[in-house]
Amino acid sequence: MKKGILILLYLSLVVTGHSQQLGQVVLSRGSVLSSFGFVTDQQVIIRVSESGNLIEWGTELESYRYNYQPGKLLPYMGRVDYYGQDGDSAFRGKVKSIGTCFFTYYPASEVTDKAGKIKSLGKLQFDYFNQYDNVAYKGKLKVAGNYFLGFYSSFDNEAFKGKLKSVDSCPIIYFSSFEDKGIIGKVKSICSVNFDWYTSRDRRELQGSLKSGRFQQVINGVTYILF
């Protein structure tokens, strides 16, 4: 009997620990970080900006659907609650919960680099680069749950300074300003996965579009979406 209870308790902790996770990294035009997507236990995708602000939420649009668009979300039809107008000014009127996923925010008394930004999303704790960090990434997400995020500094090449540099141990490399003008700033590789783009020497209608590699690529359990 005791053994059965211990097993149930362990399974409960495992489920709780995995109830939210980083599931997506969305890069618009294959270059600029658009959002981080976190997946809840109800399979709701919650998208957060690099600065820790809630952007959108919904359920994933399956790739077999007509007129499929990578990264597009279907509206979430479940319950969404908001903080009232009598709370802390930093999160007054902001989303309090989406389904079973609850949000907290850094209060107005926090430093300006954190005040009003998401502090926790379900079980995931968020932290940010502060005012003493490099100007290219101060105020941006530094930690999202178990993931550590890195950004290129203001001393890096003009084509990618301030852009997402790594998700934990997975490096993200971009084409520099010394490359063909049609691919400057676009993703060159994510971990060991390479991307090839049409250059300014190709047909006009192809220039800047993906030549090889997939618009959606699962790498180390995270789906990277280039749209």
Side-chain angles (χ1 to χ4, degrees), residues 36-38 40 44-48 54 56 98 101 103 121:
F36 296 104
F38 298 90
T40 74
V44 180
I45 297 172
I46 298 172
R47 289 194 173 141
V48 175
L54 181 60
E56 62 176 346
I98 297 173
C101 181
F103 294 78
L121 188 160

Side-chain angles (χ1 to χ4, degrees), residues 6-95:
L6 288 172
I7 291 172
L8 288 173
L9 179 60
Y10 171 77
L11 291 174
S12 175
L13 290 171
V14 169
V15 170
T16 302
H18 291 81
S19 56
Q20 293 87 28
Q21 59 182 333
L22 175 63
Q24 298 180 343
V25 174
V26 184
L27 298 158
S28 66
R29 301 187 301 280
S31 175
V32 180
L33 177 62
S34 174
S35 66
F36 296 104
F38 298 90
V39 185
T40 74
D41 54 355
Q42 295 179 307
Q43 298 305 300
V44 180
I45 297 172
I46 298 172
R47 289 194 173 141
V48 175
S49 73
E50 63 181 22
S51 298
N53 297 308
L54 181 60
I55 299 175
E56 62 176 346
W57 59 89
T59 55
E60 191 165 20
L61 181 67
E62 296 88 347
S63 58
Y64 62 79
R65 287 176 177 265
Y66 174 72
N67 201 25
Y68 171 72
Q69 299 175 44
K72 183 177 180 180
L73 298 179
L74 295 172
Y76 172 62
M77 306 308 292
R79 180 169 177 170
V80 179
D81 289 327
Y82 296 82
Y83 283 96
Q85 296 301 313
D86 54 348
D88 189 289
S89 61
F91 49 84
R92 195 175 295 159
K94 290 188 175 182
V95 171

Side-chain angles (χ1 to χ4, degrees), residues 11 13 38 42 45 81 102 119 123 126 166 183 206:
L11 291 174
L13 290 171
F38 298 90
Q42 295 179 307
I45 297 172
D81 289 327
F102 286 82
K119 183 177 183 179
K123 298 292 183 181
F126 287 9
S166 61
I183 60 173
L206 295 175

Side-chain angles (χ1 to χ4, degrees), residues 153-182:
S153 78
S154 59
F155 304 110
D156 287 302
N157 187 272
E158 187 69 29
F160 47 78
K161 66 180 181 181
K163 290 185 177 181
L164 184 64
K165 184 177 183 179
S166 61
V167 176
D168 258 2
S169 60
C170 179
I172 301 173
I173 298 173
Y174 305 82
F175 288 98
S176 75
S177 57
F178 304 111
E179 307 282 352
D180 181 271
K181 64 179 181 180

